[in-house]
Amino acid sequence: MSAQIIDGKALARQLRIGFRQRVEQLKARGVAPGLAVILVGDNPASRVYVGNKIKACEECGVRSLHLGLAADVSQAEVLRTIEQLNQDDSIHGILIQLPLPPHIQLARVLEAISVHKDVDGFHLYNVGALVSGNSIFPPCTPYGVQLLLDTTGIDVAGKNAVVVGASNIVGKPMGLMLLQREATVTICHAKTRDLAQHTILADILIVAAGKPGLIVPQMVKEGAIVIDVGINRLPDGRIVGDVCFEAVKEKASWITPVPGGVGPMTVTMLIENTLRSAERAFKTAGEAAFQAWEAPTVKSP
């Protein structure tokens, strides 16, 4: 029996309907949620990603500010731009589109963003706070994966969860978020020997390695939940994930497609974090009667 498809597009649509309602509530109270996106240089892929984020903002009623900086801009100028946005009360989220040119220190730039506007969840505070479960803004891709897992209706507590890929953006925070839900977590990376001996034990397999076709059926446990975070463009122009989808879906119980799985959720959780920031700012301003934020919920099939 083929796996059930975890439809990221459908879940993203469901969540964005709720976002518009939250935006309208905020605007009725005089708060217009705003997201600033900084793009350094003219990387074609980055322009596409920025465009998708701006489009998502428009769909949900969030004001977006696109700041394009030249590829040779100084690090000092980037930091000045961030500080101006930190001080701007009309901006509730600041996003730096990656990658940055090599002459700019990524860590220094990410640390310059106010932790209260770090809607990508990349600031050291937000990443480190995942250990205690007190992160203000969870990183968007792992956050989206978490909600996709919720749609299966399966409790991850006690399950063997294997994450392939140990990046600071996906793999490491994903592992911490799964630990918070009491899964038993293994994180594999480029130096892992005999990857298959780890993946075959996974009840939940999350793959974010950036290698097309890395995961084949022989590496997947019968009935596993498979989440494919990879996005790879093949020479013929096709977009594929890190998992051999057609073959693995005959062995898994649930699986995400590429495209249409994790991707739409990453952008959606960026909007979620921006709205949380606006709601926090509103409450901090002294409106105690405002309804407290609650994590988005999804309906199980």
Side-chain angles (χ1 to χ4, degrees), residues 256-274:
T256 59
V258 177
V262 176
M265 289 300 296
T266 296
V267 178
T268 299
M269 303 329 292
L270 173 67
I271 305 301
E272 162 65 27
N273 281 347
T274 301

Side-chain angles (χ1 to χ4, degrees), residues 131-186:
V131 175
S132 62
N134 292 320
S135 180
I136 296 177
F137 300 114
C140 297
T141 297
Y143 194 6
V145 169
Q146 182 174 277
L147 293 189
L148 288 171
L149 287 172
D150 288 346
T151 67
T152 69
I154 296 172
D155 186 0
V156 304
K159 301 292 191 300
N160 288 329
V162 176
V163 181
V164 180
S167 72
N168 293 334
I169 295 174
V170 180
K172 292 175 185 175
M174 188 77 255
L176 291 170
M177 293 172 77
L178 288 165
L179 279 173
Q180 290 171 13
R181 293 195 169 195
E182 300 183 307
T184 300
V185 180
T186 300

Side-chain angles (χ1 to χ4, degrees), residues 16-31:
R16 292 182 190 187
I17 291 171
F19 291 173
R20 288 199 64 88
Q21 296 172 349
R22 287 163 64 186
V23 169
E24 290 169 3
Q25 290 175 349
L26 282 164
K27 288 182 176 179
R29 292 164 172 81
V31 179

Side-chain angles (χ1 to χ4, degrees), residues 66-89:
H66 176 205
L67 299 172
L69 303 177
D72 60 354
V73 68
S74 68
Q75 178 168 293
E77 180 60 28
V78 174
L79 296 177
R80 278 194 295 272
T81 300
I82 291 172
E83 183 54 30
Q84 290 171 357
L85 295 170
N86 284 340
Q87 300 301 321
D88 187 342
D89 291 339

Side-chain angles (χ1 to χ4, degrees), residues 10-301:
L11 178 54
R13 283 195 299 269
Q14 175 188 332
L15 290 171
R16 292 182 190 187
I17 291 171
F19 291 173
R20 288 199 64 88
Q21 296 172 349
R22 287 163 64 186
V23 169
E24 290 169 3
Q25 290 175 349
L26 282 164
K27 288 182 176 179
R29 292 164 172 81
V31 179
L35 173 67
V37 182
I38 301 174
L39 174 61
V40 181
D42 196 34
N43 181 293
S46 292
R47 281 192 280 109
V48 171
Y49 293 142
V50 167
N52 289 339
K53 292 165 184 175
I54 292 174
K55 182 179 179 181
C57 285
E58 293 173 350
E59 179 184 339
C60 298
V62 173
R63 182 174 69 90
S64 63
L65 176 63
H66 176 205
L67 299 172
L69 303 177
D72 60 354
V73 68
S74 68
Q75 178 168 293
E77 180 60 28
V78 174
L79 296 177
R80 278 194 295 272
T81 300
I82 291 172
E83 183 54 30
Q84 290 171 357
L85 295 170
N86 284 340
Q87 300 301 321
D88 187 342
D89 291 339
S90 71
I91 296 297
H92 302 97
I94 303 172
L95 179 150
I96 300 287
Q97 183 61 48
L98 304 180
L100 290 172
H103 69 280
I104 296 178
Q105 297 177 7
L106 175 60
R108 180 69 185 89
V109 168
L110 295 180
E111 290 170 21
I113 298 174
S114 167
V115 68
H116 298 290
K117 297 187 178 185
D118 173 41
V119 290
D120 248 342
F122 293 163
H123 191 283
L124 283 178
Y125 176 89
N126 280 318
V127 175
L130 286 173
V131 175
S132 62
N134 292 320
S135 180
I136 296 177
F137 300 114
C140 297
T141 297
Y143 194 6
V145 169
Q146 182 174 277
L147 293 189
L148 288 171
L149 287 172
D150 288 346
T151 67
T152 69
I154 296 172
D155 186 0
V156 304
K159 301 292 191 300
N160 288 329
V162 176
V163 181
V164 180
S167 72
N168 293 334
I169 295 174
V170 180
K172 292 175 185 175
M174 188 77 255
L176 291 170
M177 293 172 77
L178 288 165
L179 279 173
Q180 290 171 13
R181 293 195 169 195
E182 300 183 307
T184 300
V185 180
T186 300
I187 299 180
C188 301
H189 48 77
K191 297 294 179 66
T192 298
R193 290 180 294 176
D194 194 1
L195 178 62
Q197 74 174 347
H198 298 282
T199 59
I200 197 67
L201 299 177
D203 302 306
I204 301 169
L205 179 59
I206 299 172
V207 190
K211 295 184 178 180
L214 176 65
I215 303 298
V216 296
Q218 297 90 328
M219 302 170 70
V220 178
K221 179 180 180 180
E222 192 77 37
I225 300 172
V226 180
I227 306 291
D228 191 350
V229 184
I231 300 178
N232 310 284
R233 185 178 294 276
L234 299 181
D236 62 7
R238 287 184 297 135
I239 301 295
V240 299
D242 294 348
V243 175
C244 291
F245 178 81
E246 292 298 331
V248 171
K249 75 175 184 180
E250 300 303 321
K251 197 169 185 182
S253 60
W254 295 84
I255 191 169
T256 59
V258 177
V262 176
M265 289 300 296
T266 296
V267 178
T268 299
M269 303 329 292
L270 173 67
I271 305 301
E272 162 65 27
N273 281 347
T274 301
L275 293 182
R276 289 181 63 187
S277 178
E279 290 163 351
R280 284 171 55 88
F282 180 74
K283 288 185 287 184
T284 301
E287 188 69 34
F290 187 74
Q291 182 179 357
W293 173 84
E294 294 182 357
T297 58
V298 295
K299 298 177 181 178
S300 299

